[in-house]
Amino acid sequence: MSKKTWYGLASVLVVAAVVLSACGGAATEAPEQALAVGIVLPTREEPRWIQDETRFRDALGAAGYEVEILFSQGDSARERANVEDLITRGVQVLIICPQDATAAAAAAEAARAAGVRVISYDRLIRETEAVDYYVTFDSIAVGAAQGQYLVDHATGSGNPLYLYAGAATDNNAFLFFEGAWNVLQPRIADGTFVIVNSSEAVALQGEATLTRDQMGQIIGQITTNWDFNTAKSLAEANLTAAAAADKGDVFILAPNDGTARAIADAFLADGDVTSYVVTGQDAEIASVQYIIDGKQSMTVLKDVRTLVADAIAAAIAYLEGRTPPQTTTYNNGVIDVPAVPSAVIAVDRDNVVEAIIDSGYWPASEFTGLP
Ligand code: BGC
């Protein structure tokens, strides 16, 4: 974002700051430049959102603005309370990543009713008209990159394939799975892979494209709920149920880095598993280390700096009475929400230095044994 944009916004901000400080009590000093924007993130328990918080604070701090960032801690009621709090404090734009796509509709509607612009951040709020804009990565491309990585590392036929998914309350879990299925299904149909751990996926393996309901049936069986412990227990249960012939050299679609590490640990501990290829996403520091150490195969880098910059630019566009850019739309069950999805990059041991270190995403000092 250009400095000019920020300075041009100063008048709006000063007005907002006066409003905010007036709410907080007597304004004795020159008002701080509080941005008339509030941010609500789903939970501190999933490392991804700490990345977003940090990158938001870095971007806004560098520009000299204060902004409120609230966490919902996996609780839709708390999310609603966070939104009500921000409305009361006079925010004009809400940037919100829903904990539960459908449950967040009520909070979005409350914001809309108060004249607040609603930007759905990373995850789409579903089943409501009260979403102005969607700031997102190309989540279909994330799943496609994961599926393609498995395809590129499989030879011959009959390779055991274990499928895992994110939380069914998260619209992204469907997009990731759809992207992966698009790539994997033809290679299941041609015998390259054999699905081991999902009878629902086996029942639908002849379908090149799946309806949302069909994906829901599969996801219901293979969901990690984005939770490490759930992921680990599910992987252990799957391995206990699997015959030795369904082990050996295996392929694992894991939806994100936290669940990938948990699932990888379960497969590492199984004596009948000779090797595994496992996917991930988010380029979490712990997973980049797992990739360097050969314990996780790949991750998908979603450069959160880009998403944060896009969200701030969209918020400023609304504050200045403009409309943020749009290249596509995402249907949320009720309306098509305008968006500009950001590109993603597949990262493994071969390009980890270039993609993660040289790009400035994480400093080399975070890791040991870099190739
Ligand atoms: C995000 C992922 C994240 C997951 C769990 C998804 O909506 O897009 O980056 O790993 O939620 O928090």
Side-chain angles (χ1 to χ4, degrees), residues 83 92-96 104-105 107-113 115-121 125 128-135 318 337:
V83 171
Q92 294 168 36
V93 180
L94 173 68
I95 297 173
I96 174 171
E109 283 158 15
R112 162 81 50 100
V116 175
R117 292 285 190 171
V118 177
I119 298 175
S120 207
Y121 179 82
I125 300 173
T128 177
E129 290 180 14
V131 185
D132 292 289
Y133 193 64
Y134 183 29
V135 171
Y318 283 129
V337 185

Side-chain angles (χ1 to χ4, degrees), residues 181-192:
W181 186 261
N182 289 344
V183 175
L184 291 172
Q185 187 275 339
R187 309 309 296 272
I188 296 163
D190 76 8
T192 305

